[in-house]
Amino acid sequence: MRNNRLLVWSRRVLIIAVGLLVLAIAAGWLYLRGSLAQLDGLHQAAGLETTASIARDAHGVPVISGGSRGDVAYATGFVHAQERFFQMDLLRRVAAGELSELFGDRALPLDKSHRMHRFRARGELALKTMPAADRALLDRYVAGVNDGLNALGAKPFEYALVGLPPRAWSPADTLLVIWAMYFDLQGNLESRELARGWFREHATEEQRAFLSPEATPWDAPLDAQGVATGDVVIPAAPPAWWGQPQAAGTPAPARVAQAEFFNTVGSNNWAVAGARSDTGAAIVADDMHLGIQLPAIWYRAALQFPDGKGGQRRMVGVTLPGTPFVVVGSNGHVAWGFTNSYGDYLDLIALDSDPAKPGQVRTQAGWETPVAHEETILVKGAPAARLVVRETSLGPIRDVDGRSYAVHWTAHLPGAVNFNAGKLESADTLEQALALAPTLGIPAQNFVAGDDKGNIGWTVAGPLPRREARGLVSTYPLTADDAAGRWQGWLAPEEYPKVVNPAEGHLATANSRQLAGEGAALIGDGGYDLGARTHQVRDGLASLGAKTDVKKVYAIGLDDRALFLTAWRERAMGALDAKAIAGNARRAEARALLKDGWTGKASVDSVGYRITRGFIYALYDILYGGANVELAKIDPKSSMSAVSARWPVVLARVLDQQPAGWLPSQYPDWQALELAALDRAIADLTKDGQPLSAATWGQRNTAASAHPMASAIPLLGKYLKVAPDMLPGDQHMPRVAGPTFGQSERLTVSPGHEEQGIFNMPGGQSGHPLSPYFLDGRIDWLTGRESPLLPGPAQHTLTFVK
């Protein structure tokens, strides 16, 4: 009897437990559903001037229309908040150094490094001088963001996981989103300066000239076919650290070089003149290289509003959630795109001190007392952290390796962020767009544009400091006696270099040196790429012939031919001669795979490509590893690749010329060095016990895109990640692709012919995993399929009324 009662109660408890679990799952499901964006119906909006609507197509891409620009800004803020608020929150917190409030003390080191720049305080100051029309537009966007957030049936699901409510959006937050892009695009400049300072102290002038050349044969500037490389000779001896084996007990670098994706922030953009297009209008293409996390960084949209002349203006392209404008796209008359310019926009100024002047430091401006600002960093689950920021007239002070530096960065100066990007909406000609570009308050970018009359051109968009021209190489930490660190505001727009309607009918930039002429010194060298991508894009455009179209111009971005690594494959095969492979099965297999497993591309099935790539990076480890160990002690992001992205060209010259003094003493000859690198690469590719023949490029180059909260939801995390898709492409070719980094969008458009435009990106419109728009369009991005730029017929319409 007693056993029966126990059995009955056990069943009841089990039923109750199962019921509670079902209720919990149902409640969670309903909560998640509640935080989905509103797609249809009416929404009453305070402050609306006329009316506005959001009409989404089958892929969730909206046409945002309104009777005034302010109403469109409101609706844009609304849809951004409903689809991407958590992403916006992360961007503002990254810039302000406020991530610890959400994620605890694990985010504190990043917050401290970013809080040093005090961008929230700078944002509040910038608002005070913002033109009234810009401020009015910003306020309407902010109102839309907060109404969109409050209109959700439940707060975005991410806040349930972090255990905090979302914080309302403020006008300064939109400026912080722009500053977040400064970190993304120029955040390595400090590390580069520190690395080059160490390099200056550990190499002679002749060694520096050889190891960090101003130009290489791969450069493809806009104003010439190439850049004169000069007669830089290989010095008789290398620096002491060259090829030195690591001392016993020295910690190895955190990551193997060949697994790294060096110089990952970049982009490609190019344009073809109307004389070569099938419509007579220019064709502009752009793919910005950024993280390919989920949700995608960009939000697609078409914006429609009165043009002030009795007609309508339509903007189509990508917006950045947190800001109200189309960043890259077309306004019907002019189309434009960006690539990171990699100019010299930051100086580290070594500060002098004197016991006789306590509390003071000396800069180029003389002796001064830094102003101390106490910053409070809120930390989830822990007491708030205090950070004292000392600021000089040239910027905040950073202490590194026993030295103090003023961080003199364009991002700190008034005008570094503004709303001038909105003026591109009304540009009707290339000339007008090129005049506006220098006034944009964004991280300085290569700006490539074309108009509906067929004109194309390039200039730099964003602030360029007025400084003493220092050439391209001397971006080392400056001393207090170096006048080059004293800036006199910004260059005027008419002083910016530009290239308009080149004779060949096309132009391209891809993060390498833009100019061979004197204008190059105005930009400076902040870590240019070595030029292989630009070279390949330029030659690809030339190969299109006298007449081309949008589809052919778009296809340039899918070019994954391994032109740069071809010579490296030949070097590897040369080292693996009959003597080298005799009795060594792994080397023999490697040679066979280099011969037969080479497709000439960074294709997912190519083992030969992966071995070749491993070979070059293993050589980098062997020859630069000693320096990198020392540089990592100064700054985690400092390395010899930061000193010069042209190191592969330097290594090629060393291997081809084989200067006797440069052979590390532990190797009897140059072939032994190359074989050591190949053996290291082979060992790395087979370290998990897999056969070398299975080590394809796709196995390594596999997409790892995920939502930031994927690891926080063990049961649902799989829905916040993408499938392990193998990606063709690599860094030194137009089709840039890495596991977490690559072409964040691909856009090709001819202004005035937007219906022919092509677009794709690695994720969908929504940041919500239950939305049908979460991953919509990803297959097009993976395969390179030509999907339309313009939104299709409306499937859902949300209308705003007073």
Side-chain angles (χ1 to χ4, degrees):
M1 187 74 169
R2 183 178 179 184
N3 289 338
N4 288 338
R5 288 177 180 173
L6 287 174
L7 182 61
V8 169
W9 277 107
S10 296
R11 288 174 177 171
R12 288 175 179 174
V13 169
L14 179 61
I15 290 171
I16 292 172
V18 171
L20 290 174
L21 178 61
V22 170
L23 287 174
I25 293 172
W29 179 263
L30 290 174
Y31 178 87
L32 286 172
R33 296 287 303 174
S35 59
L36 283 168
Q38 181 181 352
L39 303 182
D40 295 289
L42 299 176
H43 181 82
Q44 190 167 7
L48 209 64
E49 297 177 64
T50 56
T51 185
S53 65
I54 301 170
R56 289 175 169 90
D57 72 1
H59 304 287
V61 182
V63 175
I64 305 175
S65 304
S68 73
R69 186 63 184 88
D71 288 346
V72 169
Y74 172 90
T76 303
F78 189 97
V79 73
H80 279 171
Q82 292 227 315
E83 299 282 24
R84 302 286 192 88
F85 187 81
F86 188 68
Q87 174 191 5
M88 295 162 57
D89 193 7
L90 293 185
L91 285 172
R92 67 176 170 179
R93 288 176 182 274
V94 162
E98 297 171 351
L99 288 169
S100 298
E101 186 178 2
L102 290 182
F103 302 114
D105 56 10
R106 60 179 172 167
L108 196 54
L110 181 63
D111 275 354
K112 286 182 176 180
S113 68
H114 286 192
R115 184 67 69 89
M116 178 185 75
H117 302 280
R118 303 184 64 248
F119 283 135
R120 183 168 289 283
R122 297 182 197 279
E124 295 295 343
L125 288 174
L127 290 173
K128 294 179 180 180
T129 59
M130 179 176 274
D134 290 349
R135 181 57 194 267
L137 187 70
L138 173 58
D139 287 344
R140 292 307 297 150
Y141 177 79
V142 171
V145 170
N146 288 321
D147 281 0
L149 177 63
N150 294 330
L152 290 171
K155 61 188 175 183
F157 74 92
E158 295 93 342
Y159 294 97
L161 298 175
V162 299
L164 290 172
R167 188 175 69 201
W169 199 255
S170 73
D173 291 335
T174 287
L175 303 186
L176 285 168
V177 168
I178 303 173
W179 266 307
M181 298 309 293
Y182 272 92
F183 280 122
D184 213 347
L185 297 166
Q186 298 179 3
N188 289 329
L189 289 177
E190 283 183 64
S191 303
R192 172 177 161 79
E193 293 266 325
L194 291 169
R196 290 181 70 83
W198 182 92
F199 180 54
R200 178 177 60 184
E201 295 173 356
H202 293 84
T204 67
E205 183 177 351
E206 293 77 15
Q207 290 165 346
R208 294 197 302 271
F210 172 63
L211 290 170
S212 58
E214 291 189 23
T216 79
W218 288 96
D219 280 313
L222 293 161
D223 58 348
Q225 278 298 108
V227 181
T229 57
D231 297 320
V232 179
V233 298
I234 302 179
W241 46 261
W242 174 265
Q244 289 300 307
Q246 288 182 217
T250 301
R255 297 171 179 166
V256 177
Q258 67 166 309
E260 285 298 276
F261 200 92
F262 293 143
N263 309 302
T264 51
V265 177
S267 302
N268 305 319
N269 65 347
W270 56 96
V272 174
R276 293 182 56 200
S277 78
D278 59 344
T279 64
I283 302 173
V284 176
D286 183 81
D287 56 81
M288 295 179 281
H289 305 161
L290 295 164
I292 52 173
Q293 69 276 4
L294 298 176
I297 189 169
W298 307 112
Y299 184 83
R300 295 179 61 184
L303 311 181
Q304 291 187 169
F305 46 87
D307 64 2
K309 304 173 185 177
Q312 289 282 312
R313 179 70 60 153
R314 180 181 65 185
M315 303 290 302
V316 60
V318 296
T319 65
L320 177 63
T323 65
F325 303 115
V326 167
V327 176
V328 164
S330 175
N331 68 14
H333 296 284
V334 179
W336 65 90
F338 296 113
T339 67
N340 200 17
S341 60
Y342 277 100
D344 182 16
Y345 310 126
L346 181 148
D347 289 334
L348 288 183
I349 313 295
L351 300 173
D352 288 342
S353 60
D354 187 338
K357 300 179 184 293
Q360 292 189 304
V361 296
R362 186 170 74 94
T363 71
Q364 289 90 341
W367 288 96
E368 59 180 278
T369 301
V371 178
H373 303 275
E374 183 172 303
E375 296 286 321
T376 300
I377 302 176
L378 300 180
V379 183
K380 179 183 175 183
R386 308 291 177 183
L387 177 69
V388 176
V389 178
R390 295 183 300 149
E391 190 147 16
T392 72
S393 60
L394 298 183
I397 296 175
R398 179 180 175 186
D399 297 317
V400 184
D401 200 28
R403 301 180 184 180
S404 294
Y405 301 94
V407 182
H408 196 25
W409 188 14
T410 56
H412 296 149
L413 302 187
V417 299
N418 61 35
F419 261 29
N420 285 349
K423 296 179 180 179
L424 286 170
E425 295 175 348
S426 58
D428 290 328
T429 66
L430 173 72
E431 182 181 10
Q432 292 173 359
L434 292 179
L436 284 169
T439 73
L440 304 189
I442 61 173
Q445 301 287 291
N446 290 308
F447 178 85
V448 167
D451 64 22
D452 55 0
K453 301 171 186 63
N455 301 298
I456 60 173
W458 162 90
T459 189
V460 174
L464 291 180
R466 184 184 298 281
R467 71 199 311 171
E468 179 180 321
R470 304 202 319 253
L472 293 176
V473 178
S474 56
T475 54
Y476 304 106
L478 304 173
T479 69
D481 294 318
D482 192 335
R486 191 181 298 123
W487 302 352
Q488 302 297 324
W490 308 122
L491 291 177
E494 60 270 18
E495 297 176 277
Y496 276 53
K498 63 181 179 180
V499 175
V500 178
N501 291 331
E504 56 271 23
H506 61 259
L507 47 78
T509 72
N511 318 120
S512 57
R513 179 170 172 167
Q514 301 96 332
L515 300 170
E518 60 182 17
L522 296 176
I523 305 168
D525 182 357
Y528 289 146
D529 198 6
L530 57 78
R533 268 189 298 122
T534 317
H535 202 111
Q536 198 160 331
V537 170
R538 183 192 67 183
D539 292 353
L541 291 170
S543 72
L544 295 179
K547 287 291 181 182
T548 189
D549 56 32
V550 165
K551 290 185 177 182
K552 293 174 183 175
V553 173
Y554 164 79
I556 296 290
L558 303 178
D559 182 3
D560 60 356
R561 291 175 298 151
L563 303 185
F564 180 73
L565 258 63
T566 296
W568 283 97
R569 172 191 176 239
E570 295 169 358
R571 291 185 186 98
M573 292 186 67
L576 292 169
D577 59 17
K579 182 179 178 181
I581 66 176
N584 190 318
R586 296 216 302 181
R587 288 181 183 174
E589 184 183 14
R591 192 182 197 288
L593 290 166
L594 283 166
K595 181 177 183 293
D596 300 323
W598 173 264
T599 63
K601 299 180 178 181
S603 53
V604 297
D605 59 339
S606 178
V607 179
Y609 181 86
R610 192 174 177 191
I611 294 172
T612 302
R613 194 182 192 276
F615 171 52
I616 185 174
Y617 284 106
L619 281 167
Y620 171 87
D621 279 333
I622 291 170
L623 297 173
Y624 290 98
N628 285 336
V629 168
E630 298 304 314
L631 286 167
K633 297 175 184 177
I634 298 172
D635 185 284
K637 294 191 291 186
S638 288
S639 67
M640 289 303 297
S641 67
V643 168
S644 176
R646 304 178 184 93
W647 62 266
V649 178
V650 173
L651 290 191
R653 190 174 172 194
V654 168
L655 292 180
D656 292 346
Q657 296 188 21
Q658 300 186 358
W662 287 69
L663 179 66
S665 59
Q666 63 268 36
Y667 301 103
D669 53 45
W670 288 99
Q671 184 182 18
L673 168 64
E674 292 176 311
L675 290 174
L678 283 162
D679 288 343
R680 181 180 293 202
I682 294 167
D684 182 64
L685 297 181
T686 57
K687 63 185 176 184
D688 295 325
Q690 72 169 353
L692 186 60
S693 59
T696 63
W697 176 238
Q699 183 204 51
R700 184 267 181 192
N701 210 42
T702 300
S705 303
H707 188 283
M709 303 304 292
S711 60
I713 321 175
L715 294 178
L716 299 178
K718 65 180 181 179
Y719 298 108
L720 297 175
K721 301 177 182 178
V722 299
D725 299 302
M726 293 185 178
L727 304 175
D730 198 6
Q731 66 189 114
H732 292 308
M733 57 193 63
R735 189 167 189 164
V736 173
T740 60
F741 179 89
Q743 296 173 319
S744 66
E745 49 78 42
R746 301 189 192 104
L747 181 151
T748 305
V749 62
S750 182
H753 304 272
E754 285 76 17
E755 70 284 352
Q756 299 178 11
I758 298 170
F759 182 89
N760 50 58
M761 67 182 185
Q765 292 289 94
S766 175
H768 199 300
L770 296 186
S771 169
Y773 311 132
F774 183 55
L775 289 176
D776 191 289
R778 182 174 175 83
I779 297 300
D780 291 349
W781 177 81
L782 286 169
T783 61
R785 189 163 57 203
E786 301 158 357
S787 47
L789 170 63
L790 286 178
Q795 302 293 310
H796 302 278
T797 301
L798 176 64
T799 302
F800 299 93
V801 295
K802 295 182 181 181

